[in-house]
């Protein structure tokens, strides 16, 4: 996933495996600790930078990355937050936390790297990355955009 030389088909296959593996909270934790969020968010940020020129295959690629982020967010909340976690659970009836809220919580709690010079003409082999620590409002905004992509909004 992290190599600039990996083809889109290889990354799609890797994301299918990530989606399957991250349904288990231990595997998801391992993937997050190893920095998989960096690669997934790079795919999404690149897609949003290409927005006007995105082909259907690029849209499917980004949608797959967004779905992986949602699955990782759910697993992260299952692993880290319990039913007794009043901060996360208190705002929701019947203890059901929306997917975008779970994703926002993960984006807020897990640091990741983002491309500092990503644009339409960006070269993946020359991109530089910086550590990103999100505020909760920014994490919620990003989570909503990711959820909208999954839901085709």
């Amino acid at each position: 996933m992290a190599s600039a030389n990996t083809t889109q088909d290889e990354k799609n296959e890797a994301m299918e495996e990530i989606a399957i593996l991250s349904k288990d909270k231990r595997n998801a934790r391992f993937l997050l600790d190893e920095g998989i969020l960096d690669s997934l968010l790079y795919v999404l940020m690149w897609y949003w930078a290409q927005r006007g020129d995105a082909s259907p295959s690029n849209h499917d690629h980004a949608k797959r990355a967004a779905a992986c982020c949602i699955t990782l967010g759910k697993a992260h909340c299952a692993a880290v937050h319990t039913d007794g976690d009043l901060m996360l659970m208190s705002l929701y009836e019947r203890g059901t936390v929306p997917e975008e809220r779970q994703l926002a919580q993960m984006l807020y709690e897990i640091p990741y790297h983002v491309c500092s010079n990503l644009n339409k003409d960006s070269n993946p082999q020359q991109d530089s990355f910086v550590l990103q620590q999100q505020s909760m409002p920014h994490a919620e905004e990003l989570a909503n955009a990711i959820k909208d992509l999954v839901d085709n909004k």
Side-chain angles (χ1 to χ4, degrees):
M1 280 291 299
S3 172
N5 298 320
T6 306
T7 67
Q8 188 168 337
D9 287 339
E10 291 170 327
K11 288 181 183 183
N12 283 339
E13 186 177 332
M15 285 188 278
E16 287 176 20
E17 293 175 13
I18 291 166
I20 292 167
L21 289 172
S22 60
K23 290 181 181 178
D24 177 80
K25 57 187 174 185
R26 287 183 305 263
N27 288 337
R29 188 74 189 156
F30 174 78
L31 290 168
L32 288 170
D33 287 346
E34 291 299 316
I36 197 63
L37 205 50
D38 299 355
S39 296
L40 293 171
L41 290 174
Y42 181 82
V43 169
L44 292 170
M45 299 302 176
W46 184 84
Y47 170 74
W48 285 321
Q50 305 289 319
R51 192 57 170 189
D53 298 331
S55 68
S57 67
N58 287 341
H59 177 76
D60 291 341
H61 188 62
K63 189 172 179 179
R64 206 177 300 247
C68 286
C69 288
I70 295 285
T71 305
L72 286 166
K74 291 163 107 176
H76 171 76
C77 283
V80 175
H81 300 282
T82 64
D83 291 334
D85 189 345
L86 297 178
M87 186 172 147
L88 181 61
M89 303 296 285
S90 64
L91 301 175
Y92 305 102
E93 292 180 23
R94 293 170 274 162
T96 304
V97 180
E99 290 177 336
E100 55 267 30
R101 176 64 176 142
Q102 293 178 46
L103 178 57
Q105 193 72 33
M106 179 191 70
L107 293 170
Y108 175 70
E109 293 174 355
I110 304 290
Y112 55 88
H113 294 86
V114 293
C115 184
S116 62
N117 59 335
L118 188 63
N119 61 47
K120 195 174 182 175
D121 303 316
S122 186
N123 179 351
Q125 295 177 333
Q126 296 176 347
D127 289 340
S128 61
F129 292 83
V130 294
L131 187 63
Q132 182 77 34
Q133 186 70 40
Q134 296 279 9
S135 66
M136 184 52 97
H138 191 260
E140 288 173 340
E141 182 181 318
L142 180 55
N144 287 331
I146 292 170
K147 180 69 171 148
D148 288 347
L149 180 58
V150 169
D151 293 341
N152 287 323
K153 291 183 182 178

